[in-house]
Amino acid sequence: MQALLISLPAVLFIVDPIGVVPLFVTMTAHDDAAKCRAMALRACITAAGVLIFFALSGSLIFRFFGVSLSAFRVAGGLLLMLTALDMLRAQPPATRTSPQETQEGADREDIAIVPLAMPLLAGPGAIATVMTLMAQFNGDAVSAAAVVVSILITLGITYLVLRSANGVKRVLGQTGIAILERIFGLILAAIAVQFVFDGGKALLAG
């Protein structure tokens, strides 16, 4: 339960389903509701698969490139902080997508895999987060399961949000979405600071 309480907020706030709503609505403006729901489902399944893959294979990647967990914590924390700062300004995080990618998505017939699943949902920040979370639990099977469950819960919530994206945007409005973005950004910034602090302390001790 402790691992779940640590993992779920970190994964949920970095994936940020509410923040994806305006982009999803823009890119699917000319698609019917059934097609939007189908694309949202495939995107969430794909993003969950990508994040679970990197979570489970993170230790192998660390060993292959000779990167220590402490160094990756610092790097992941800095990446999360960049994302959090954009969220605090209620701007689309530049670490996940660019205006050019958003426009390309709007021109695509099907956006489920690119750019929705990657990089909007399973972007560099989300991948770094799940790898860092998994590594800091030191191979404990129960804690690792908690990370995987957090990914599944997050993408389940994301699907429910995206399938009702137009309604969510209409109810919250641009102001409501911006307020939630800033709240998520503040919490994510605190998580980023903790990652950097833990990683830096371990590097100095080493």
Side-chain angles (χ1 to χ4, degrees):
M1 182 59 69
Q2 183 181 12
L4 186 64
L5 291 175
I6 293 171
S7 303
L8 183 56
V11 179
L12 180 62
F13 294 143
I14 189 63
V15 172
D16 186 20
I18 296 295
V20 177
V21 165
L23 296 172
F24 183 71
V25 171
T26 299
M27 290 188 289
T28 59
H30 303 294
D31 298 315
D32 59 51
K35 183 176 180 181
C36 290
R37 287 194 297 270
M39 287 191 292
L41 179 61
R42 284 189 286 114
C44 291
I45 292 173
T46 301
V50 169
L51 293 180
I52 290 172
F53 169 78
F54 278 102
L56 297 178
S57 62
S59 59
L60 296 176
I61 295 174
F62 290 154
R63 285 199 294 269
F64 181 80
F65 287 104
V67 177
S68 69
L69 170 60
S70 302
F72 197 83
R73 278 180 179 169
V74 173
L78 293 175
L79 182 57
L80 291 188
M81 183 58 73
L82 291 175
T83 302
L85 292 175
D86 283 336
M87 292 170 70
L88 287 169
R89 293 194 295 264
Q91 296 177 351
T95 56
R96 293 205 303 190
T97 187
S98 65
Q100 293 79 11
E101 289 172 316
T102 301
Q103 182 58 48
E104 184 180 347
D107 296 335
R108 282 177 177 268
E109 188 68 25
D110 190 325
I111 63 165
I113 308 303
V114 178
L116 187 53
M118 292 185 69
L120 285 177
L121 298 179
I127 291 172
T129 299
V130 298
M131 289 174 65
T132 303
L133 287 169
M134 189 70 78
Q136 78 178 22
F137 292 134
N138 296 320
D140 179 68
V142 176
S143 299
V147 176
V148 173
V149 170
S150 298
I151 294 171
L152 295 176
I153 292 174
T154 295
L155 272 303
I157 292 172
T158 302
Y159 170 67
L160 295 177
V161 170
L162 292 183
R163 69 170 292 166
S164 308
N166 284 298
V168 171
K169 188 174 183 181
R170 187 166 54 249
V171 170
L172 293 178
Q174 194 60 44
T175 301
I177 290 176
I179 291 171
L180 286 178
E181 280 282 282
R182 290 185 173 98
I183 293 172
F184 286 1
L186 182 60
I187 297 172
L188 191 61
I191 294 171
V193 169
Q194 190 66 53
F195 276 7
V196 173
F197 176 77
D198 290 344
K201 184 170 66 174
L203 285 173
L204 290 174

